[in-house]
Amino acid sequence: MKETAGGKRGKTMRQLGLCDEEVAGAEVIPLYEEAEEPRPARGMRRAGGLLVACGIGLLPWLYVLATGLPTTATAAHWPVAWVGLDALEALGLIATGLLAARGDRRHALAAAATAALLVVDAWFDTTTAAPGGDFATAVAMALGAELPLAALCGGLALRALGRRA
């Protein structure tokens, strides 16, 4: 036996070891017990199946669009479309920030929607920009603001989804 700091004698690590027979009969208590996922309700399964079918149904439509759309187009309400998109982004960022600052788990919903809006904005900014300075500005905005903010919002949403209720 070894002396401890307080002068008491204690067992060495070798003496504390259990033999195989003692381990075989012991009850194993898991440190973390994962709850079994409940089966989704029938309505939820149907909704999921409908969404998958609609997504698959859009695939041929993508071909029709890719081969049939003109290379240039004029939009009558171009400024309204862009101001509306940026207004939704601002609203999403503000809502996400306020909900996250309050510790409200619903910030995950706002964050996911805002991330999607930011990615869409970056995509359309870069694909509709005129060559030259406009395109360089669109790429700079995408890489310097929209995509990093989308990544932050996406990370917030995923982190909140990973936490237990």
Side-chain angles (χ1 to χ4, degrees), residues 54-69:
C54 288
I56 292 170
L58 278 175
L59 296 178
W61 179 244
L62 294 176
Y63 175 78
V64 171
L65 288 176
T67 58
L69 284 175

Side-chain angles (χ1 to χ4, degrees), residues 52 101 135:
V52 169
F135 181 74

